[in-house]
Amino acid sequence: MRSPLPLRRRAVLWLLLPALPLLAIVAQFSSPAITFPGSWTWTIGHSVLLVLVSLTAWGGGSAFPWGMVGAIAAMLFFHTSLGFALGSVVHPVFGIPLALASSYIWLGFTGTVSTFELRHLAGLVLETCCSYDRQPDARSVLAATMFSLLAGLGLLFLAAAALRIVAARTWLATLVGGALVVAGVWSGFAAARGLGPSAAEPRDSADLVCAGGRVRVCLFPEQVDSAVFQSIQTMVHNVRHEGVSVADSVVASSAVVYDEDTIRLGYMPGMTEEQIAQSLASDLPEPVCSGDRVDVAIARDTFRSTAVAWIAITMLGGDRERLDSGDLDTEVGSSLDALLVLPRAAQAAWVNEAISAVRDCAVSPPEGPR
């Protein structure tokens, strides 16, 4: 029996089949309490899907991420409406590839322009969110949702006018459709005004769970493990016990700003002790001193890497075999070998000098250990 709906009007219904499982997958894996590395794809258009969003790791509280899922659903609706509108004025043979190309062009164009508000309207920027210490920026989610819903609804009105579904009110449908598209762009720009290239914002520090003692360690709830707390405290204590000036406070953080009073830890559940030690030891600033001669700059950088390797080994109880030496270049490896044969007090003194040199460009790097 022939369907009572013409091909162009049935086309939008085809999108329900791939769209509903996609939303189910997003709902399952985008819970803020779950760390799920990777990336997700979304594909939507008229009669075909173009979707490029993300299943990347992201932070936030343990509440279900209705806002993010809603934004993705709204984007699905917008691209479906875009395809339906194009299919209403172009024969389906040409409308399908045109709809797919239009969605790709919209996402690709907004992803390259320096006007960040456009990126938030398109929603592709949501793939930059989130990590264990960053959560979705409500304004970015709102911008994508408002634009997609209003513009998508406007496109449906324009499609209705093109198909003369409301023949007596075609002009009204055209006027309402155009107004809704304009309103979607305006409201999306208003919500995203001033936002940068990312859809993430710092997670509330009140979410941190801290353990005191010789070393204060603060992790987010989904990272908390009593064994990990104790391991981190022991590692930092080992270095401080040698007389090396490292902070006695550790915080799970991906912040780029260095703080002498806090060790930033990039921690994901399941990391080995060696990986944790390397993350802790690496929290030294990258030396960028504009006044350095080339040889001084090289020495400053080499000795930073040497100090990082020594700190990691010390955190692991002095067992060099547990350090992944494959990441060390020849100069750093030679410097580390020379450092480890010195008396313990001399090793700590040299590492303190190297740390001072990377923290302050006015301090010259020490001579190589010997």
Side-chain angles (χ1 to χ4, degrees):
M1 179 178 177
R2 184 177 178 83
S3 171
L5 286 176
L7 174 62
R8 291 178 181 177
R9 301 185 195 181
R10 295 201 310 269
V12 69
L13 301 179
W14 303 344
L15 296 172
L16 292 177
L17 294 177
L20 292 178
L22 175 66
L23 286 177
I25 293 172
V26 169
Q28 179 180 358
F29 290 115
S30 62
S31 172
I34 297 176
T35 301
F36 190 84
S39 60
W40 10 298
T41 346
W42 51 280
T43 321
I44 291 214
H46 161 127
S47 311
V48 287
L49 262 242
L50 180 107
V51 182
L52 275 174
V53 187
S54 107
L55 271 179
T56 188
W58 60 302
S62 58
F64 188 81
W66 289 112
M68 184 71 85
V69 174
I72 294 168
M75 287 185 280
L76 291 173
F77 171 68
F78 169 76
H79 284 273
T80 300
S81 300
L82 175 61
F84 188 49
L86 290 172
S88 300
V89 296
V90 181
H91 191 280
V93 173
F94 305 105
I96 289 176
L98 179 60
L100 181 61
S102 298
S103 287
Y104 267 116
I105 291 171
W106 166 241
L107 293 172
F109 168 73
T110 56
T112 57
V113 297
S114 57
T115 304
F116 295 134
E117 288 84 354
L118 275 175
R119 301 189 190 185
H120 292 277
L121 260 64
L124 191 60
V125 73
L126 292 176
E127 69 178 355
T128 64
C129 185
C130 298
S131 62
Y132 54 86
D133 66 333
R134 296 181 70 76
Q135 61 191 9
D137 191 313
R139 292 169 58 199
S140 180
V141 174
L142 181 63
T145 303
M146 293 180 66
F147 166 75
S148 297
L149 288 179
L150 292 175
L153 188 59
L155 288 170
L156 289 184
F157 270 93
L158 293 175
L163 294 172
R164 302 186 67 80
I165 294 175
V166 284
R169 294 287 186 270
T170 298
W171 65 271
L172 181 60
T174 302
L175 181 63
V176 172
L180 284 171
V181 172
V182 172
V185 173
W186 181 87
S187 60
F189 260 91
R193 186 174 302 279
L195 291 179
S198 174
E201 63 180 1
R203 190 171 173 181
D204 192 342
S205 59
D207 290 342
L208 288 167
V209 177
C210 300
R214 297 174 299 184
V215 177
R216 178 179 171 83
V217 180
C218 296
L219 304 176
F220 287 101
E222 59 271 22
Q223 301 172 319
V224 169
D225 184 315
S226 58
V228 172
F229 272 128
Q230 184 175 358
S231 180
I232 294 172
Q233 289 174 328
T234 300
M235 289 179 184
V236 177
H237 175 72
N238 287 345
V239 178
R240 290 176 60 80
H241 182 70
E242 294 291 335
V244 173
S245 58
V246 296
D248 61 355
S249 177
V250 178
V251 176
S253 173
S254 61
V256 296
V257 179
Y258 176 72
D259 182 357
E260 290 186 19
D261 299 324
T262 303
I263 299 175
R264 298 165 296 177
L265 171 64
Y267 174 68
M268 306 288 278
M271 287 175 62
T272 64
E273 286 193 340
E274 289 78 8
Q275 291 172 325
I276 293 174
Q278 188 63 45
S279 177
L280 291 168
S282 299
D283 188 31
L284 288 176
E286 297 284 349
V288 180
C289 303
S290 57
D292 279 353
R293 301 192 311 271
V294 173
D295 58 329
V296 175
I298 292 174
R300 203 184 294 272
D301 184 64
T302 299
F303 294 157
R304 176 197 178 277
S305 299
T306 304
V308 167
W310 183 92
I311 291 172
I313 291 172
T314 304
M315 286 181 170
L316 296 170
D319 185 358
R320 179 171 180 176
E321 296 301 317
R322 298 179 66 183
L323 179 70
D324 184 3
S325 300
D327 294 334
L328 303 179
D329 62 32
T330 304
E331 288 295 325
V332 174
S334 299
S335 178
L336 181 61
D337 290 336
L339 177 62
L340 291 175
V341 299
L342 297 178
R344 297 296 296 177
Q347 292 181 34
W350 187 91
V351 170
N352 277 328
E353 291 183 38
I355 291 175
S356 296
V358 297
R359 285 177 174 171
D360 186 353
C361 289
V363 178
S364 298
E367 295 183 3
R370 56 187 178 183

